[in-house]
Amino acid sequence: MPIYRVRLFATLRDLAGREALDLTLPADATVGQLRAALAALPGLQPYAESAVIAVNHAFTTDDTPLTPNDEIAAFPPVSGG
């Protein structure tokens, strides 16, 4: 199974204690599967469902397909005021 590198930003980076994670996912993985893998990690579970996921500099939906060469980034949810 391929490894997908996910860069973490802001609160997600702080909670994980690192700037990036390598996740092993199926070859035909989607953003939804990546989100589920993030939710399985200690500390990230409360944020995984609402995290904003970008693939190759574009925001995505859970059905967006992934490839191991994609540039994947995860951001905590943002609220304005």
Side-chain angles (χ1 to χ4, degrees), residues 22-57:
D22 290 329
L23 300 175
T24 302
L25 299 170
D28 60 349
T30 64
V31 168
Q33 290 170 302
L34 179 132
R35 188 182 303 282
L38 289 174
L41 298 173
L44 296 182
Q45 182 179 16
Y47 299 94
E49 185 175 319
S50 58
V52 176
I53 308 295
V55 177
N56 300 323
H57 305 275

